[in-house]
Amino acid sequence: TQLLEQSPQFLSIQEGENLTVYCNSSSVFSSLQWYRQEPGEGPVLLVTVVTGGEVKKLKRLTFQFGDARKDSSLHITAAQPGDTGLYLCAGVRGNNRLAFGKGNQVVVIP
Amino acid sequence: NAGVTQTPKFQVLKTGQSMTLQCAQDMNHNSMYWYRQDPGMGLRLIYYSASEGTTDKGEVPNGYNVSRLNKREFSLRLESAAPSQTSVYFCASSEWLQETQYFGPGTRLLVL
């Protein structure tokens, strides 16, 4: 059973469009991290959200942590080809270990 | 600043052969990890080391062994490689377990 479910698994959009991807769980996390992985490279941290209801912005990327700290969303405004990648969410569990979701593969077509 | 380095970048093995994947970090991190990444399966934790001198099993430890050689280095050994171990292997480190993880560039392993 996957602790963190990410949806959709794959998303292809045209440059300039907006998109939202989701990371859901039945478990409560003390914090949640979002990473982006580009082809042939390792994941790189984008943001960490800690407080329920928290919203963080990173240029055109908006991250939200659910009020109950069980889910999160990533919204990209006016997507660019450079946003193409695998977006991974990871939650910190009670044993202080990170649990990763399977990822949202985003492709932005020029 | 090198961050996390992994060697080799690519490797082809025959079934039954052994090999060791090397990982080193220069960030003075306490915790280190080994993951494998397969299509549709996401990142799966093989082994981790919470701090120097300790190692623990992750989700998929069978067929692997690890050594935390010192604070900088954490190696992954395949004693008898199997085709099911064909994957991309990532090493990562973090200051402590719950902190941000920094990943290496990965090792692409093909077992024939």
Side-chain angles (χ1 to χ4, degrees), chain A residues 19 34-36 46-47 55-64 73-80 82-83 87:
Chain A
L19 69 96
W34 281 93
Y35 293 77
R36 179 167 66 206
L46 294 173
V47 76
V55 176
K56 280 193 173 179
K57 293 191 174 185
L58 187 66
K59 297 184 180 178
R60 292 176 293 97
L61 278 62
T62 301
F63 303 84
Q64 184 161 8
S73 63
L74 160 59
H75 181 80
I76 302 179
T77 303
Q80 303 295 312
D83 296 326
Y87 290 83

Side-chain angles (χ1 to χ4, degrees), chain B residues 53-65:
Chain B
T54 70
T55 60
D56 286 286
K57 294 179 180 180
E59 303 168 62
V60 289
N62 291 344
Y64 306 94
N65 284 299

Side-chain angles (χ1 to χ4, degrees), chain B residues 50-74:
Chain B
S51 60
E52 186 180 359
T54 70
T55 60
D56 286 286
K57 294 179 180 180
E59 303 168 62
V60 289
N62 291 344
Y64 306 94
N65 284 299
V66 291
S67 295
R68 183 75 183 266
L69 303 171
N70 47 56
K71 192 171 186 180
R72 290 187 66 247
E73 298 171 287
F74 189 37

Side-chain angles (χ1 to χ4, degrees), chain B residues 3-25:
Chain B
V4 179
T5 57
Q6 293 183 235
T7 56
K9 291 186 178 181
F10 302 95
Q11 185 71 49
V12 179
L13 292 178
K14 294 181 179 178
T15 297
Q17 287 184 319
S18 62
M19 78 161 297
T20 300
L21 282 65
Q22 306 287 353
C23 174
Q25 52 91 9

Side-chain angles (χ1 to χ4, degrees), chain B residues 26-99:
Chain B
D26 63 1
M27 297 173 280
N28 201 35
H29 284 167
N30 295 286
S31 304
M32 298 186 73
Y33 315 80
W34 275 106
Y35 293 90
R36 59 178 291 174
Q37 188 175 39
D38 304 288
M41 300 296 289
L43 282 168
R44 292 186 291 171
L45 183 65
I46 304 171
Y47 271 94
Y48 68 101
S49 171
S51 60
E52 186 180 359
T54 70
T55 60
D56 286 286
K57 294 179 180 180
E59 303 168 62
V60 289
N62 291 344
Y64 306 94
N65 284 299
V66 291
S67 295
R68 183 75 183 266
L69 303 171
N70 47 56
K71 192 171 186 180
R72 290 187 66 247
E73 298 171 287
F74 189 37
S75 63
L76 178 72
R77 182 160 179 83
L78 286 69
E79 289 291 350
S80 179
S84 61
Q85 294 178 305
T86 291
S87 188
V88 181
Y89 291 86
F90 287 99
C91 176
S93 71
S94 62
E95 189 168 358
W96 294 109
L97 278 181
Q98 70 273 25
E99 305 294 335

Side-chain angles (χ1 to χ4, degrees), chain A residues 13 37 70 73:
Chain A
I13 62 169
Q37 183 178 18
K70 293 182 179 181
S73 63

